[in-house]
Amino acid sequence: MAGAAAAGGQGWSSRTAFILAAVGAAVGLGNIWRFPTLAGENGGGAFVLVYIAFVVLLGLPLVLSEILLGRAGGEDAIGSVENVAVKSNRSRNWRGLGALQITSGFLILSFYSVVAGWVINYVFISGGDFFGSLFAGDPFSVAFSGESQDAITGRMGELFADPGRLILLHALFMAATIGIVASGVHDGIEKAATWLMPAFFVLLVIVTIYGAFKGNFEDALAFLFTPDFSKLTPTVLNEALGQALFSLSLAAGGLLTYGAYVGKDVNLAPTAGMIALADTTVAILAGLMIFPIVFAVGLDPAGGPALIFQTLPVAFNAMPGGALVGFVFFILIFFAALTSSISLLEGPTAWVIDRFGWTRKKSAFIVGLVAFLIGVACALGYNVWSDIRPLGFWGIFAEADILDTLDGFTGKIMLPLGALLVAVFVGWKADRRLVESESGLSGGMFAFWRFLVAWAAPVAVSLVLLFGLIPGLLGD
Ligand code: PHE
């Protein structure tokens, strides 16, 4: 592909390949695990509304900003920002923005893989249940048949109490991620996205239709789309912003890096729009897939991180065909998680390739290994180290175990900071003509987009950071 020569001369083979890879990066645990969890905990409608506002007004403009920075820079995330800074006669130190982003992506990868390991655990469990019912001649039975609710929810506790199993599953997922990234942009990342994303969408539609027919769709709609504004606290705003950034894969090095592989012939503005639209649609569909099932059996939507691992299996257990649907559901999340984790690993890997001149295989392996080791600490945080509260002195992190601390610190602080820097850099510092020609926008559209990047994003992100974090620091 013309013009894409970053990180060892790699590039997407077509615009479609890029879109699938970028949508694959965006759609992941963030959409299916984190979004419904946060919506459930923060009162549904109000959270969803703020979330969508952040996606449209900040997320989308920043997706375009990051992809165009990557393409204009044509290297790994750090090198690209540095190149654009130099072309714009600005300090090379702006590359720190790339470094912050790559660090965020690397840290997210370490705990992301642990959670994806839980998903694999449930692929096995639900698969066992499904095949069990199949061989018993009753493929459409309920899931986990014959088990009590306590036994089903207890499975998560059993998993958490077993460091060996947590670490093994985490290792499996990280190995798969490394394998794909090591195979290259074209033969690894692109191929994985081209197979997994269409499969993901088919499965998503199947489970959503199932939920709409068999579940309590009305209550789910009311819950997700009736905002209760009394629920809108600064903390909720901070959560919603962090989630919008996380879900769109912003500020974590992935989009900057993927952008460098895009050919000059691709018009970036509509492409960014498609990525944001696809990501948001999947998040909402995930809500419409999960909550009808949860409400159908009268369970609590505010189940927290256990929503899809405990609440949902209990619901599947009570519903006809639940064995099959439960199995399909966990496979679908696994696919989504894998296409995201490869983008998390690609960012730091591309940097290591450029910086140290190592081969792609060696770079992917070493970066993945170190992320794996940090993830091991997260896994141990559920059992051996369950007393540890790494940032316990800080109000908003007081209760957080190791994994939640990493998740919260990256999501609430590092991603907003990374996004703020991108907005300031693209909105104020980068050469205006360069930005305009890369963006594919002109006239009023360009002016409006630039206003959102230069003014709306920095102001909103700063306010959210200020009001979200300071009370937390003082103990809320
Ligand atoms: N967007 C991914 C998700 O929603 C997570 C991710 C964040 C991927 C940052 C890449 C970079 O699951």
Side-chain angles (χ1 to χ4, degrees):
M1 183 178 224
Q10 309 258 342
W12 309 116
S13 54
S14 65
R15 173 172 183 257
T16 315
F18 166 57
I19 292 179
L20 281 173
V23 170
V27 171
L29 294 173
N31 304 64
I32 299 168
W33 170 61
R34 227 164 166 268
F35 176 79
T37 300
L38 289 174
E41 285 177 337
N42 294 301
F47 177 84
V48 174
L49 197 75
V50 182
Y51 173 77
I52 292 180
F54 278 139
V55 167
V56 176
L57 295 175
L58 306 182
L60 173 57
L62 291 178
V63 168
L64 177 56
S65 304
E66 292 202 353
I67 300 177
L68 78 78
L69 259 188
R71 184 169 73 176
E75 270 179 42
D76 62 88
I78 298 179
S80 287
V81 180
E82 185 173 356
N83 288 345
V84 175
V86 170
K87 282 188 208 172
S88 312
N89 291 322
R90 302 288 179 181
S91 160
R92 284 179 185 270
N93 289 336
W94 276 101
R95 65 175 172 245
L97 142 62
L100 172 68
Q101 289 217 3
I102 288 190
T103 311
S104 306
F106 174 74
L107 292 176
I108 292 174
L109 173 65
S110 67
F111 72 82
Y112 201 86
S113 170
V114 176
V115 179
W118 310 345
V119 174
I120 299 181
N121 189 56
Y122 279 82
V123 169
F124 286 145
I125 294 182
S126 57
D129 282 325
F130 170 64
F131 287 111
S133 60
L134 190 66
F135 292 133
D138 183 14
F140 299 111
S141 72
V142 297
F144 311 109
S145 29
E147 278 183 277
S148 70
Q149 186 156 328
D150 286 350
I152 297 167
T153 51
R155 284 172 158 176
M156 187 140 179
E158 280 162 30
L159 172 65
F160 280 9
D162 186 346
R165 190 149 123 219
L166 282 173
I167 293 171
L168 182 70
L169 294 165
H170 161 48
L172 265 178
F173 186 80
M174 191 65 89
T177 306
I178 293 173
I180 295 172
V181 170
S183 307
V185 174
H186 183 264
D187 296 330
I189 301 178
E190 185 178 312
K191 209 172 255 165
T194 323
W195 284 98
L196 297 177
M197 286 322 288
F200 166 83
F201 277 106
V202 171
L203 300 181
L204 179 72
V205 169
I206 294 176
V207 182
T208 310
I209 292 177
Y210 170 85
F213 279 103
K214 295 285 179 193
N216 187 342
F217 203 62
E218 259 166 67
D219 282 5
L221 277 181
F223 178 70
L224 284 172
F225 297 113
T226 320
D228 170 1
F229 290 104
S230 66
K231 297 250 163 67
L232 280 188
T233 60
T235 319
V236 172
L237 290 178
N238 193 347
E239 294 272 25
L241 175 70
Q243 173 60 14
L245 301 176
F246 182 91
S247 191
L248 291 168
S249 301
L250 280 164
L255 286 177
L256 276 175
T257 311
Y258 277 17
Y261 306 144
V262 180
K264 291 289 179 205
D265 50 334
V266 174
N267 187 353
L268 294 185
T271 312
M274 285 184 64
I275 298 169
L277 183 70
D279 186 64
T280 310
T281 310
V282 173
I284 306 269
L285 273 183
L288 291 177
M289 161 172 86
I290 290 170
F291 289 115
I293 301 176
V294 170
F295 288 131
V297 271
L299 294 166
D300 181 8
L307 182 70
I308 68 168
F309 297 108
Q310 290 186 324
T311 313
L312 217 51
V314 168
F316 285 136
N317 187 45
M319 299 176 72
L324 176 59
V325 179
F327 183 40
V328 170
F329 175 77
F330 285 110
I331 293 181
L332 149 182
I333 310 180
F334 172 70
F335 287 175
L338 194 56
T339 51
S340 295
S341 66
I342 54 187
S343 79
L344 289 164
L345 180 58
E346 176 64 17
T349 300
W351 175 71
V352 167
I353 295 173
D354 284 353
R355 174 78 175 71
F356 300 109
W358 295 350
T359 61
R360 171 167 278 276
K361 286 199 170 60
K362 178 175 171 189
S363 310
F365 179 75
I366 293 187
V367 176
L369 183 69
V370 181
F372 167 76
L373 294 176
I374 302 176
V376 167
C378 296
L380 295 179
Y382 288 100
N383 32 71
V384 190
W385 289 341
S386 59
D387 294 335
I388 296 184
R389 298 286 171 271
L391 295 179
F393 57 87
W394 190 333
I396 47 171
F397 299 119
E399 312 268 294
D401 54 39
I402 302 177
L403 189 146
D404 286 349
T405 304
L406 261 183
D407 184 5
F409 190 78
T410 48
K412 290 186 187 142
I413 299 173
M414 294 180 73
L415 296 185
L417 269 181
L420 182 63
L421 288 174
V422 167
V424 171
F425 185 66
V426 173
W428 296 96
K429 303 289 177 184
D431 182 74
R432 196 194 142 118
R433 266 160 312 161
L434 176 72
V435 169
E436 182 162 4
S437 72
E438 285 286 346
S439 72
L441 295 170
S442 54
M445 281 303 279
F446 178 71
F448 181 57
W449 170 75
R450 195 148 180 270
F451 166 78
L452 290 177
V453 173
W455 289 97
V459 170
V461 173
S462 309
L463 284 178
V464 168
L465 271 174
L466 216 63
F467 288 102
L469 296 183
I470 294 196
L473 198 53
L474 301 178
D476 228 345

